[in-house]
Amino acid sequence: MAVRSDLAIEEEEEEEEEYGGPTHHPAAPLDESFDVSTTVDPSYIISLIRKLLPSGAGSKSSCDGIASDAPNQGSPTNTKEGNAVSTSRDKHFESPKKSSENMDVDNSGQFSYQQGELKDSCNGLEQSGASVGEEVWEEHGCILWDLASSKRHAELMVENLILEVLLANLMVCKSLRVTEICIGICGNLACHEVPMKRIVSTNGLIEIIVDILFLDDPQCLCETCRLLTVGLQSRESITWSKALQSEHILCQILWIVENTLNPQLMEKSIGLILAILESQQEVVDVLLPPMMKLGLASLLISLLASEMNKVTSERIPERYSILELILRAIEALSVIDDHSQEICSSKELFELVSGLVKFPDKFEVANCCVTAAVLIANILSDVADRASEISQDLSFLEGLLDIFPFASDDLEARNALWNIIARVLVRIRETEMSPSSLDRHVSVLVTKVDLIEDELLNQPLDDSRHGNERPDARITSLRRMISILNQWIAAKDNLNAEVTVNDSDVKKLLNCCNKYSK
């Protein structure tokens, strides 16, 4: 652990005097000790919190519980705990963002700050160099942003009133970068249970966070969406849902999703919608009905159409994660009672996801194809007639079989694939087919014989592995394949020159289906 020299201490005091910050901190109580196990000296973290204090006579009394600095300070670590954590040193947060050229946001949107003593006492932050220079403030804030990803550090921060300090800054500052850093710190703190409880219990903080949705800065909006997503995924989700339930706020969320041109913001805002759809039932009951009224279903389909166009024409890998989030949101909506029919009945949606199944380079969008298969299975459960539309589409059947290797670890997805295949194959009338049509169907099946065999070898039909769930769709699919193959064998002599299938491949697939269909 590094120890500051006398010169470093003097330089720090001179810096505080230069920027008008506090030059004296009250001594800590004699019996005060730190019982937090951490690689960073707690006094260093506390000193950083104090450096974020807005200037003014009231700031000391407003944040009176912050302990004094100790003479030692350590080097900050950058521990990561949880996927929801972000860092100020991420490529998206390297420097202050001063423009919103990638976000078309209504400039009439206002930031409705609460009024109170803190606003009067902390108004010095609005002016250049009032408390600390903005660059110095950013440096200290970014270190805390990184440290807040650690549970131990996060708990120490909230015990030393970092939330009150952040609230004070949010109430008065006009700097977008300062706002982004404050929300970024809150977002990392919210990843931990104890700090999350303190966030929801800090009077006025959630309201100000929600108000940031009406800013027009992509980075502030990204961090706000991330924080709201973490909140809706936490045990405090009901509190967060109540803060979002106003139609005015929900409309703004949908508006951001629909109008942003910033890929990062699109990903974060769609992720927020997904968090709402996957939250506990009480949250869904509060937020989903007004969102459906505002056009959520049509918006998601429109976004899917736009991203599918980009995937097929531009092949931009950076947008694949956006496509996957949209599909996951639609899939989540497709299984919610009272709302699934609206999304599942869309012919446009069915054509879009069917097109994704037939996408030739599945390796690039493997996860998207798996989600699309689950979504199609849900659609066919609600609208069975759709299966007739694809029963003669051999490229669709071929695409389904190609997805199996990407779903090897996903039981739900494999069951969905077999469910779709069964629905398609039962609509095939092999005895009524022309010899050439029958040969084409068999050709598709035997071309994928290795994929089918690998799927059956890796996932044997063992009911004990699936609990009470019996793989009936898989058995149905295999039996239908057997019937089609047998019909081809019986009609082979009449096919003559039209035969395109190798006898040995047919026998291999037939033996495989017979083995696993019993």
Side-chain angles (χ1 to χ4, degrees), residues 5 116 162 172 248 264 287 366 477 490 508:
S5 65
I162 191 172
V172 299
H248 176 59
Q264 185 197 5
L287 299 181
S477 299
K508 180 180 179 180

Side-chain angles (χ1 to χ4, degrees), residues 1-295:
M1 180 177 294
V3 178
R4 293 182 299 174
S5 65
D6 293 339
L7 178 59
I9 297 173
E10 290 176 3
E11 289 175 347
E12 182 178 307
E13 291 174 348
E14 289 174 0
E15 179 184 286
E16 290 178 341
E17 291 178 352
E18 177 182 354
Y19 292 105
T23 58
H24 171 72
H25 302 305
L30 294 177
D31 60 347
E32 179 170 342
S33 62
F34 299 104
D35 58 358
V36 180
S37 175
T38 174
T39 57
V40 178
D41 189 338
S43 64
Y44 173 70
I45 295 177
I46 294 169
S47 72
L48 291 173
I49 296 174
R50 297 187 67 86
K51 289 181 175 71
L52 300 191
L53 279 168
S55 66
S59 61
K60 176 181 175 296
S61 60
S62 300
C63 305
D64 209 17
I66 303 178
S68 67
D69 291 339
N72 297 332
Q73 76 178 30
S75 300
T77 60
N78 199 14
T79 307
K80 293 288 178 280
E81 293 185 15
N83 293 331
V85 169
S86 81
T87 169
S88 62
R89 297 195 180 104
D90 186 272
K91 63 180 180 180
H92 299 296
F93 308 110
E94 289 178 352
S95 60
K97 304 297 187 293
K98 298 299 182 182
S99 71
S100 56
E101 59 186 5
N102 290 327
M103 176 65 201
D104 300 324
V105 177
D106 185 354
N107 291 327
S108 64
Q110 296 297 317
F111 211 34
S112 57
Y113 293 119
Q114 292 191 356
Q115 305 298 316
E117 289 185 0
L118 273 178
K119 184 171 182 179
D120 294 329
S121 63
C122 303
N123 59 13
L125 191 64
E126 297 180 20
Q127 302 172 10
S128 174
S131 174
V132 291
E134 187 173 315
E135 291 184 3
V136 176
W137 193 102
E138 288 179 15
E139 180 183 353
H140 298 150
C142 287
I143 294 173
L144 287 169
W145 187 343
D146 291 342
L147 291 175
S149 64
S150 162
K151 178 182 177 181
R152 293 190 296 267
H153 300 154
E155 291 180 356
L156 175 65
M157 290 179 193
V158 296
E159 287 301 321
N160 286 276
L161 304 184
I162 191 172
L163 294 175
E164 288 74 7
V165 172
L166 296 176
L167 176 60
N169 282 290
L170 287 172
M171 289 176 70
V172 299
C173 79
K174 293 182 179 179
S175 164
L176 293 174
R177 178 59 171 164
V178 169
T179 299
E180 176 198 348
I181 292 171
C182 288
I183 299 301
I185 295 172
C186 286
N188 282 3
L189 292 173
C191 296
H192 315 292
E193 185 176 359
V194 172
M196 171 61 84
K197 290 178 183 283
R198 296 289 291 270
I199 289 173
V200 299
S201 64
T202 300
N203 187 36
L205 182 55
I206 288 183
E207 290 76 10
I208 282 189
I209 290 169
V210 171
D211 275 339
I212 296 174
L213 289 170
F214 294 90
L215 286 181
D216 63 354
D217 178 70
Q219 300 306 321
C220 290
L221 291 173
C222 282
E223 287 306 309
T224 303
C225 288
R226 182 178 74 92
L227 173 52
L228 294 173
T229 298
V230 172
L232 290 168
Q233 293 170 337
S234 72
R235 296 181 180 180
E236 308 296 331
S237 59
I238 294 175
T239 301
W240 289 96
S241 67
K242 290 178 180 178
L244 294 173
Q245 65 184 344
S246 165
E247 186 172 301
H248 176 59
I249 294 169
L250 294 175
C251 185
Q252 178 67 8
I253 293 173
L254 297 182
W255 194 92
I256 292 170
V257 173
E258 183 177 12
N259 289 279
T260 182
L261 302 178
N262 182 297
Q264 185 197 5
L265 179 54
M266 178 172 283
E267 186 172 339
K268 297 298 184 183
S269 56
I270 296 172
L272 173 56
I273 291 177
L274 178 61
I276 292 172
L277 296 173
E278 292 183 340
S279 191
Q280 61 175 295
Q281 190 61 46
E282 188 172 346
V283 173
V284 173
D285 291 341
V286 169
L287 299 181
L288 186 55
M291 293 180 75
M292 293 296 287
K293 179 182 176 182
L294 291 168

Side-chain angles (χ1 to χ4, degrees), residues 266 301-311 319 352:
M266 178 172 283
I301 294 172
S302 175
L303 291 173
L304 178 61
S306 176
E307 291 305 313
M308 281 292 295
N309 181 63
K310 290 181 174 65
V311 166
R319 301 200 68 94
L352 288 169

